[in-house]
């Protein structure tokens, strides 16, 4: 579904993606892990066309995404920090998105209902708590029933119940055959969700393999322990 070939990106002198090659198939959940500033968001944004790479190419469904916009309709993106017009109300934001896309049918409103956002349609975005903004971002990512979901630290800032609701939704979307890329520093959560783990370190992919293989190599049952063992002892 998505192929990244020889992707390089620098910001000034900082080489953030050195030469990244990876591919993601039709379905399943990939946990994209790595320390702060290792390039996870930059990679995601390159796939989304929000960051223009210095070299290399991203392919979606076999076609290069450079200067292409249509493929973005097939991706639901939940940013790390959602930025919305301050004075816009929640209801107006959803309406604007539907109008922009010109899609009003077959919408996925599961998260709007589960989070009770419809009861808050009159609230202005600037008045929302960080967690409620996250809920809006999650609901928007799913709204148009995209084939691919890209979720950047999706449960950061959500209360435990809201986080569970989102995890259930992610499982349900996977069951529909979707490809879901998730970055997170919450390893217990990635352990619950991911089929594969991709680990970025200083702009390179250190490994990309099934979670089960990672655990088997380390001889550990939990992702946190397996990762620690592999990264510190070079298992
Ligand atoms: N637009 C930008 N201009 C300048 N530097 C940037 C820009 N975007 C990202 N960077 C830098 O690139 C590096 C990688 O950032 P990125 O957000 O991709 O990391 P990350 O792995 O997602 O980190 P985190 O786990 O903290 O979210 C950081 O040093 C960051 O400061």
């Amino acid at each position: 579904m998505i192929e990244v070939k020889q992707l390089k990106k620098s910001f000034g002198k900082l080489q953030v993606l050195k030469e990244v090659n990876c591919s993601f198939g039709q379905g399943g959940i990939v946990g994209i892990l790595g320390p702060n500033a290792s390039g996870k968001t930059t990679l995601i944004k390159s796939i989304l066309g929000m960051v223009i790479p210095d070299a290399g190419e991203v392919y979606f469904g076999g076609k290069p995404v450079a200067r292409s916009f249509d493929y973005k309709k097939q991706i639901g993106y939940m940013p790390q920090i959602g930025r919305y017009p301050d004075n816009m109300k929640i209801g107006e934001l959803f309406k604007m998105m539907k109008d922009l896309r010109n899609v009003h049918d077959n919408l996925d409103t599961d998260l709007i209902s589960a989070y009770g956002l419809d009861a808050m349609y009159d609230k202005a975005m600037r008045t929302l708590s960080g967690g409620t903004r996250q809920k809006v971002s999650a609901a928007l990512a799913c709204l148009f029933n995209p084939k691919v979901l890209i979720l950047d630290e999706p449960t950061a800032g959500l209360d435990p119940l809201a986080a569970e609701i989102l995890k259930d939704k992610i499982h349900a979307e996977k069951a529909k055959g979707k490809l879901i890329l998730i970055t997170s520093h919450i390893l217990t959560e990635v352990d619950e969700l991911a089929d594969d783990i991709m680990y970025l370190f200083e702009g390179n992919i250190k490994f990309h393999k099934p979670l089960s293989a990672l655990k088997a190599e380390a001889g550990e049952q939990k992702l946190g322990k397996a990762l620690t063992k592999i990264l510190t002892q070079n298992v």
Side-chain angles (χ1 to χ4, degrees), residues 11 14 16 35-42 80 153 185:
F11 293 109
L14 182 70
V16 178
N36 290 131
S38 53
K40 301 180 296 293
T41 299
T42 305
Q80 211 167 17
E153 301 195 24
H185 293 294

Side-chain angles (χ1 to χ4, degrees), residues 187 218 220-230:
L187 294 183
E220 293 288 350
Q221 302 287 326
K222 292 191 173 154
L223 170 62
K225 282 200 184 299
L227 211 50
T228 308
K229 211 162 170 181
I230 281 171

Side-chain angles (χ1 to χ4, degrees), residues 1-208:
M1 178 74 84
I2 298 173
E3 259 190 288
V4 173
K5 288 190 182 164
Q6 298 182 320
L7 205 71
K8 292 184 188 177
K9 179 68 188 177
S10 296
F11 293 109
K13 285 185 183 159
L14 182 70
Q15 240 190 322
V16 178
L17 299 177
K18 291 190 177 143
E19 188 171 306
V20 170
N21 290 287
C22 57
S23 60
F24 306 104
Q26 296 281 346
I29 301 177
V30 183
I32 302 177
L33 306 181
N36 290 131
S38 53
K40 301 180 296 293
T41 299
T42 305
L43 174 61
I44 280 176
K45 286 189 172 174
S46 305
I47 292 171
L48 288 158
M50 295 166 69
V51 159
I52 308 300
D54 301 326
E57 196 83 70
V58 175
Y59 297 83
F60 188 93
K63 293 187 187 140
V65 304
R67 290 171 296 280
S68 144
F69 293 96
D70 240 29
Y71 82 101
K72 293 182 193 175
K73 289 185 185 157
Q74 301 185 54
I75 304 179
Y77 171 50
M78 180 177 176
Q80 211 167 17
I81 299 169
R83 298 186 200 283
Y84 303 102
D86 269 354
N87 290 325
M88 194 170 268
K89 294 176 178 165
I90 297 182
E92 290 171 341
L93 178 67
F94 281 105
K95 182 177 179 311
M96 182 186 76
M97 297 309 287
K98 289 185 257 184
D99 290 345
L100 278 174
R101 286 281 192 102
N102 199 18
V103 176
H104 298 271
D105 299 317
N106 300 321
L107 297 169
D108 179 345
T109 55
D110 285 357
L111 288 179
I112 294 179
S113 314
Y115 287 145
L117 294 174
D118 34 4
M120 292 187 238
Y121 272 0
D122 279 338
K123 277 198 159 195
M125 293 307 294
R126 76 185 134 76
T127 67
L128 302 184
S129 70
T132 306
R133 268 169 185 266
Q134 283 290 93
K135 291 176 186 173
V136 169
S137 296
L140 275 177
C142 294
L143 188 64
F144 299 104
N145 226 331
K147 277 188 192 163
V148 177
L149 284 169
I150 299 186
L151 313 173
D152 201 351
E153 301 195 24
T155 63
L158 289 182
D159 65 60
L161 182 62
E164 283 306 314
I165 288 172
L166 186 53
K167 283 190 267 179
D168 286 348
K169 179 65 178 163
I170 292 169
H171 274 301
E173 293 308 291
K174 175 191 157 178
K176 292 181 197 165
K178 296 191 180 182
L179 169 66
I180 304 165
L181 309 184
I182 302 178
T183 77
S184 176
H185 293 294
I186 308 171
L187 294 183
T188 48
E189 174 180 297
V190 178
D191 208 352
E192 277 175 56
L193 292 169
D195 300 297
D196 295 336
I197 301 293
M198 192 172 103
Y199 193 87
L200 269 177
F201 186 72
E202 294 181 351
N204 290 306
I205 295 175
K206 209 166 158 77
F207 56 80
H208 182 180

